[in-house]
Amino acid sequence: MRTVVCPGLGRDVSVLGFGCASLGSRVSEAQSRRVLDYAFERGVNWFDVAPPHGDGEAETILGHFLSGRRDRAVVSTRIGVARPSLSPVMHFIGAIKRSALNAFPGISALAFGRMKLIRQREPLRAESIEPSVVESLRRLQTDYIDVLALQDPTPEDCGNPAILAALQHVVDKGYVRCLSIIGDPDAIEAARAHPIFAIVQFRSNPFHRTVERVRSTPPSAAEAFFVLQSAFGGGAYERLSHLLVGDGGRLASLASQLAYGPPFMASEILIDYAFGNNPKGVVVVAMSQPAHIELNCARASRAPRTDVVEFVNKTVLASPAAKMPPHF
């Protein structure tokens, strides 16, 4: 596994991060522990979680996994999003959903794509920051969080003196080692005016071009550590797959010249694109199956491919089909 130095933490981290969104919802706790172990054994040491992940269970599951290996893992969690409170009926529905997805993985997008819980952004208040951190520490069964990220703050939140003071307070108490932001370019630009935020996280893939705008805003990219989210999200996988098989397979034929082929062509291109777009940072990917982990770890062990970034930007996205609205 390739590693990079995270300046805000002063340590090496894996370029592939494990996204914990499925732990406890799409996959059971027993399955979650197996895939966490599988990824960790292959060199993944960055784990991205949030209070609402896994229907509110992911932080607890990750905490169990961390026992005996806490000093070898980097934990990034979030504030600003509410942890759901599920009724017994919703837990029962979740168990049925897991069973169906395990038995028939191909139905996931069609049958359950609209059954996700709506995640409510909490109004960010200075007085709620420390209690939220303490609750995450309790669920994670640890006495510190490596990276605490503000989830989708407003630009005003990022410059609010009371909020900044509350964030500095949890750092000073040793609860948090490094502060980050996950948000849109306007919030990121506002946050980067304050040196308290050492890490910048955002959603980016060929069809969600946040990275270009973030890099164009001061301070320079050399002064920020980037964590990319949603390499496959927002329909990116489906849209790229559609483009590759369209136009008589012309794009797929061109991709084959870069050593891509079925059955994982779209997946390999998207993960290589993410690593190539963020060669000195981390790419977080949700992984719930050993096959996903194997593929992503293999790509994370290679040198970043800037040729793939160029191919996608100048060839795939320039094709007539890419300029048409997606069919899903």
Side-chain angles (χ1 to χ4, degrees), residues 185 202-214 273 277 309 312-313 317:
F202 50 90
R203 304 164 187 89
S204 186
N205 59 55
F207 310 101
H208 195 109
R209 306 293 291 279
T210 310
V211 66
E212 287 81 2
R213 182 174 169 190
V214 172
Y273 181 89
N277 240 343
V309 176
V312 172
N313 290 343
L317 298 182

Side-chain angles (χ1 to χ4, degrees), residues 64-303:
H64 295 158
F65 159 79
L66 292 172
S67 179
R69 48 170 73 98
R70 180 65 186 92
D71 61 330
R72 293 176 286 157
V74 172
V75 176
S76 175
T77 193
R78 313 177 191 185
I79 56 173
V81 280
R83 182 172 181 264
S85 178
L86 299 185
S87 67
V89 172
M90 290 303 295
H91 279 293
F92 178 69
I93 291 173
I96 293 175
K97 182 174 73 172
R98 282 195 298 273
S99 298
L101 290 172
N102 288 331
F104 307 102
I107 71 172
S108 59
L110 178 63
F112 293 111
R114 299 187 182 276
M115 289 182 63
K116 296 179 180 177
L117 290 172
I118 297 174
R119 304 305 184 196
Q120 296 289 339
R121 180 190 178 276
E122 294 180 318
L124 192 58
R125 301 187 303 272
E127 61 271 20
S128 69
I129 289 175
E130 184 173 348
S132 178
V133 169
V134 170
E135 280 299 300
S136 285
L137 289 170
R138 180 184 62 80
R139 289 189 291 268
L140 290 164
Q141 300 179 45
T142 184
D143 56 3
Y144 69 95
I145 293 164
D146 296 282
V147 180
L148 179 69
L150 272 68
Q151 172 80 56
D152 295 322
T154 66
E156 292 74 23
D157 289 337
C158 298
N160 185 310
I163 289 174
L164 294 175
L167 290 170
Q168 186 62 55
H169 179 67
V170 295
V171 173
D172 293 341
K173 291 190 74 169
Y175 291 163
V176 173
R177 296 192 169 177
C178 188
L179 294 168
S180 176
I181 176 175
I182 303 175
D184 62 30
D186 289 336
I188 289 171
E189 183 174 0
R192 293 179 73 190
H194 303 278
I196 192 173
F197 297 104
I199 296 175
V200 174
Q201 306 190 46
F202 50 90
R203 304 164 187 89
S204 186
N205 59 55
F207 310 101
H208 195 109
R209 306 293 291 279
T210 310
V211 66
E212 287 81 2
R213 182 174 169 190
V214 172
R215 283 194 179 126
S216 69
T217 60
S220 68
E223 298 173 348
F225 185 84
F226 290 165
V227 177
L228 267 55
Q229 310 269 353
S230 298
F232 301 95
Y237 173 80
E238 293 82 359
R239 191 167 184 185
L240 181 60
S241 298
H242 175 76
L243 291 173
L244 290 172
V245 299
D247 194 18
R250 181 182 69 89
L251 291 176
S253 177
L254 292 173
S256 69
Q257 297 175 27
L258 297 174
Y260 292 106
F264 303 118
M265 178 182 286
S267 297
E268 291 176 345
I269 290 174
L270 284 172
I271 193 68
D272 284 352
Y273 181 89
F275 289 132
N277 240 343
N278 191 31
K280 297 181 180 179
V282 172
V283 174
V284 171
V285 180
M287 297 179 281
S288 60
Q289 301 293 331
H292 303 159
I293 297 170
E294 287 284 0
L295 185 150
N296 294 329
C297 286
R299 313 312 288 193
S301 299
R302 305 181 182 190

